[in-house]
Amino acid sequence: MTIDAGAVRRYSRQLLVPEIGVAGQERLMASSVLTVGAGGLGSPALQVLAAAGVGRITVIDPDTVDETNLHRQTIYTTADVGRPKASTAAKRLRELNPRVDVYAIDEAFGERNGRRLVRDHDVVLDCTDRFTARYAVNDACVLEGRPDVSASIFRFEGTLSVFAAGGPCYRCLYPQPPAGAAGGCAEAGVVGSVAAILGAWQANEALKILARAGAPLYGRMLLFDGAAAGVREIRFERDPQCAVCGDHPEIHELRIADGGAPEVVEVEVRELDEALRSASLLDIREPHEAVLGSIDGAIAIPFSQLESRLNELDMRRAYVVACRIGVKSRWAAERLQAAGVQRVAHLRGGLLAYAAARHESERIV
């Protein structure tokens, strides 16, 4: 793609950078990026990519904007609460830079669409916050030969790396999800500035790859400590035994939910009362989260005790699992499925959203 006079003016400051120049800008304009997730990481990353002039950007995210997102997901406004994230983010990007083609997919990245989407883009940004999604993005990138720019955030901390199509990849570092892994910043908390820093840093890695500038983080991981204002780097090698990029790979197709667990059914807050006519509510909030009570008849087993108390549950019964904001409950529902519970769902948005919808926060929050 040849740069025109309008592009020269818009990207003039970027063109002055020797590592970019006209040739690098033309590469950016002819390139494509798939961003999986439009949340804390995706929000800043998308804005940087669009402003830099990446020619085609696709954003995929199944969620809607929630008020709790707004302290770190600065691509959205208060008026966007309840709207789909991907479509809303895409609208902002088109307003930011009309020269960029932006496509939104308001659904989850998964077996049906994952490999096709990855194949159709030059670089993939993993801006997700769930381990199942991270493995899915990694595997699709390895299978389709695309770089995976991956970041994660936790409170004041963050990590960043670029996983190569031929390895080392995410599974070389983490062959299996960490024990008890569930949720991310929604449960542990995160500082909004950390999301902004790591998301922008992801975009920077993608721009380097696309413009052929600098040294991308292949085989290296940055460890960011926002509280101490420190950055460390660790190096890692491709694992010959890796299940997807190793010498004798076992993964040849995209499979979601770490071992093929069935998708967890979601119950919307407006559906909970009806669902509890034929199911029991399993309240997995910790004691400090439920000091003001719960719903009558709920079975209370804190998330931290769930593994050791599975024997207390009747595997023949139906359960709706609920936590405070609907993150731990999804993992818990997956664990119940793996343990043999056939009828299990989780409450989307958690008991906090249920209380708000019912205008009864004084009773269950």
Side-chain angles (χ1 to χ4, degrees), residues 271-284:
E271 303 168 340
L272 180 60
D273 291 339
E274 179 63 29
L276 293 182
R277 295 180 185 276
S278 57
S280 298
L281 182 72
L282 177 59
D283 184 348
I284 62 168

Side-chain angles (χ1 to χ4, degrees), residues 276 279-286 290 294-303 306 309-315 317-323 336 351:
L276 293 182
S280 298
L281 182 72
L282 177 59
D283 184 348
I284 62 168
R285 290 177 297 171
E286 300 295 334
S294 184
I295 292 177
D296 292 341
I299 301 169
I301 300 180
F303 176 79
L306 184 61
R309 296 176 60 183
L310 283 175
N311 62 303
E312 297 179 22
L313 300 176
D314 185 344
M315 299 300 174
R317 295 175 65 178
Y319 295 96
V320 176
V321 188
C323 63
L336 290 180
L351 289 170

Side-chain angles (χ1 to χ4, degrees), residues 213-225:
L217 285 168
Y218 294 121
R220 298 182 291 149
M221 175 172 284
L222 293 187
L223 309 177
F224 173 75
D225 184 344

Side-chain angles (χ1 to χ4, degrees), residues 206-248:
L207 295 177
K208 285 159 53 179
I209 295 169
L210 296 172
R212 303 176 192 169
L217 285 168
Y218 294 121
R220 298 182 291 149
M221 175 172 284
L222 293 187
L223 309 177
F224 173 75
D225 184 344
V231 178
R232 294 187 297 118
E233 178 184 300
I234 60 171
R235 294 180 178 269
F236 58 98
E237 303 290 336
R238 171 179 167 272
D239 179 5
Q241 304 301 316
C242 177
V244 68
C245 78
D247 295 340
H248 304 286

Side-chain angles (χ1 to χ4, degrees), residues 108-116 136 253-257 260-261:
F109 180 94
E111 296 178 11
R112 181 180 58 82
N113 58 17
R115 291 189 64 173
R116 172 180 54 80
E253 296 294 337
L254 188 58
R255 294 288 181 265
I256 310 299

